[in-house]
Amino acid sequence: MNILIINSGSSSIKYQLWRYPERKLLVKGLVERIGLDNAVITHKSDPVYRHEIKINDHIHGIRIILEALTDPEHGVLGSLSEIHAAGHRVVHGGEQFTDSVLITPDVLDTIDNMSSLAPLHNPPNAAGIRAVMQNMPSIPNIAVFDTAFHQSMPQEAFLYAIPIKYYKEDMIRKYGFHGTSYRYLTKKTADILGNKPEDVNGVFCHLGNGSSICAVKNGKSVETTMGFTPLAGLVMGTRSGDIDPGVLFHMIRSGIVSNTSDLDTLLNKKSGLLSIYEKSSDMRDIEDNLTTDENAKLAFRMFTHRIRLYISAYLSLTGPDSTIVFSGGIGENSPLVRDAVLCDLQHMGIKINKALNEKLPRGQWGTISDADSKVKVLVIPTDEESQIAEDTYNIVAEL
Ligand code: AMP
């Protein structure tokens, strides 16, 4: 069975084609700048095929992807009939979806309704689904939700301490994100430890441009740092993470910002690492300038300080046999961040091994704690797309 994986954003579509049950990635690629005259498809065949073309909308974008996949020169398929199913990343599933599902008209309606909670993400996700349905009407489509894994959080974790009617009537609560990554990492951790996923306890750190942490108890999410939106929690590339809401009232009342839209832009796009280092939001740039630039040093310290706080807090939920897992672009690739986050925590049973941490080969999982560390520390490259392919295969195989 060949499965097309689609991750559509407002002006881009990332795609992968997988063959099952072999679990083989056949090809991947990316369409960017949808809606502009100089849109481009980068189809990562060998050699890479790159083509600039005007792409009007997502339906057109999907058609260009399907043409690349079946192109006689750089395609990997003879015809579209060789695609048997599509799996879609959907950011917000609200409380309705606790697992991945076959997309029916009702499911698509619900994804549309969730757009009020994720206005930047769900509309392009739904557009990608509709585009696949229009271009290939006969194949099943599966939705895999970023929020689903966190639906196991208990009420005391997901409710905000505001009048309960705002939860009951307006769906205001903590949802959490990066759930597909955490589900993949939980299963992979179980494989590595020789456990069942339901026996995994740990603190999982997905540290990238967007960053969050998840406490997993008995294989289930019990707490996470992102909230109603992906703005809460850790210091991120351009997002502030946690901030006293009183600061926001003050900024509006005193005219520091003129409206909520400016405030939204300030906290989501102009804050985080970028606002402290000022020259870039990219952790590589910050690390390159740590010894010479005071702002780079401060941004690094603020980033790692907050991660330390959350890891310590979450270990109180996950128990004595916890594992700490680092993942995401920063978590997988930055020994400096991992060391700053976990150094000098012997009193909490955490002994990071500096040599293992520094020498861990890129792109592979590995252990970076001492053999006698009570808390094991792992680095695991995440793979959300393979998890989407896996879910799609499992659901479609049962149809
Ligand atoms: P992601 O959003 O998961 O793709 O992660 C992007 C972040 O990972 C950016 O801040 C990058 O600077 C960071 N990153 C990637 N490679 C490295 C590296 N070798 N060292 C430090 N940070 C890295």
Side-chain angles (χ1 to χ4, degrees):
M1 182 193 299
N2 292 325
I3 297 173
L4 179 63
I5 304 302
I6 294 292
N7 179 355
S8 33
S10 55
S11 65
S12 70
I13 307 174
K14 289 188 202 146
Y15 63 95
Q16 294 191 350
L17 189 70
W18 285 76
R19 175 160 298 155
Y20 267 73
E22 296 86 341
R23 295 181 169 75
K24 184 170 181 228
L25 175 63
L26 299 180
V27 72
K28 62 181 175 179
L30 168 69
V31 166
E32 292 168 283
R33 299 199 286 266
I34 292 173
L36 300 179
D37 286 348
N38 62 342
V40 60
I41 178 166
T42 309
H43 184 68
K44 296 182 179 162
S45 48
D46 187 16
V48 173
Y49 164 74
R50 224 181 113 82
H51 181 51
E52 270 203 28
I53 176 177
K54 178 173 164 52
I55 298 180
N56 305 322
D57 53 23
H58 284 75
I59 293 173
H60 189 188
I62 293 286
R63 205 163 65 235
I64 299 293
I65 292 169
L66 298 178
E67 281 170 16
L69 291 171
T70 52
D71 186 272
E73 247 177 71
H74 41 258
V76 288
L77 299 173
S79 78
L80 284 189
S81 63
E82 292 170 36
I83 298 177
H84 305 105
H88 300 263
R89 175 181 181 221
V90 181
V91 166
H92 219 304
E95 291 191 331
Q96 276 82 346
F97 300 109
T98 56
D99 225 328
S100 304
V101 289
L102 176 71
I103 303 176
T104 61
D106 279 352
V107 168
L108 194 48
D109 277 351
T110 311
I111 293 172
D112 282 336
N113 291 338
M114 288 298 131
S115 291
S116 62
L117 300 181
L120 300 179
H121 294 104
N122 273 34
N125 297 160
I129 294 167
R130 290 198 167 88
V132 170
M133 286 174 162
Q134 286 210 11
N135 282 287
M136 290 185 291
S138 61
I139 64 166
N141 287 275
I142 307 301
V144 178
F145 300 93
D146 275 10
T147 48
F149 186 67
H150 300 297
Q151 280 300 305
S152 49
M153 282 190 292
Q155 276 196 322
E156 64 270 25
F158 76 69
L159 283 177
Y160 293 119
I162 57 175
I164 197 77
K165 68 173 183 164
Y166 296 115
Y167 166 57
K168 290 187 175 157
E169 294 168 18
D170 301 297
M171 298 186 287
I172 294 175
R173 50 158 286 176
K174 178 186 279 200
Y175 288 99
F177 300 87
H178 290 140
T180 310
S181 172
Y182 291 127
R183 200 148 51 87
Y184 172 84
L185 294 169
T186 301
K187 285 197 188 133
K188 186 80 189 169
T189 302
D191 286 350
I192 292 169
L193 299 180
N195 279 346
K196 297 194 195 108
E198 56 269 31
D199 293 331
V200 169
N201 297 318
V203 179
F204 289 74
C205 309
H206 180 116
L207 309 178
N209 198 26
S211 293
S212 69
I213 300 185
C214 176
V216 171
K217 180 78 177 165
N218 299 327
K220 292 193 157 86
S221 169
V222 291
E223 192 37 290
T224 191
T225 55
M226 285 180 171
F228 179 66
T229 73
L231 179 57
L234 303 180
V235 174
M236 306 182 220
T238 63
R239 288 174 237 164
S240 63
D242 293 342
I243 183 168
D244 174 359
V247 173
L248 315 187
F249 310 144
H250 173 75
M251 287 177 112
I252 289 190
R253 278 195 209 114
S254 60
I256 295 173
V257 293
S258 34
N259 53 48
T260 48
S261 163
D262 286 355
L263 195 54
D264 191 326
T265 307
L266 173 72
L267 295 176
N268 274 299
K269 306 238 166 85
K270 297 183 178 170
S271 296
L273 296 173
L274 174 68
S275 64
I276 305 300
Y277 177 45
E278 293 184 322
K279 298 189 189 88
S280 162
S281 62
D282 194 301
M283 184 52 84
R284 274 166 298 200
D285 297 334
I286 291 173
E287 289 190 2
D288 286 347
N289 292 286
L290 270 184
T291 49
T292 50
D293 187 314
E294 286 303 316
N295 290 348
K297 212 179 287 177
L298 181 59
F300 184 89
R301 280 178 27 222
M302 289 171 68
F303 180 76
T304 52
H305 168 79
R306 200 168 296 173
I307 297 169
R308 270 172 88 92
L309 291 185
Y310 270 113
I311 289 179
S312 319
Y314 282 10
L315 283 171
S316 73
L317 299 174
T318 60
D321 58 343
S322 294
T323 303
I324 295 173
V325 177
F326 285 99
S327 197
I330 300 173
E332 291 164 29
N333 295 306
S334 174
L336 271 185
V337 166
R338 296 191 300 251
D339 185 60
V341 165
L342 293 186
C343 67
D344 304 327
L345 291 181
Q346 286 85 342
H347 62 288
M348 295 178 68
I350 303 168
K351 284 169 80 178
I352 190 163
N353 182 303
K354 290 202 187 265
L356 289 177
N357 182 38
E358 271 156 35
K359 293 202 187 98
L360 185 74
R362 294 265 152 83
Q364 289 177 27
W365 75 265
T367 304
I368 58 163
S369 48
D370 278 338
D372 65 345
S373 176
K374 269 197 202 141
V375 176
K376 199 178 179 71
V377 184
L378 300 175
V379 177
I380 307 178
T382 195
D383 192 349
E384 288 154 296
E385 283 80 10
S386 82
Q387 186 63 54
I388 296 175
E390 197 73 21
D391 286 10
T392 304
Y393 175 69
N394 288 335
I395 292 175
V396 173
E398 295 289 314
L399 291 178

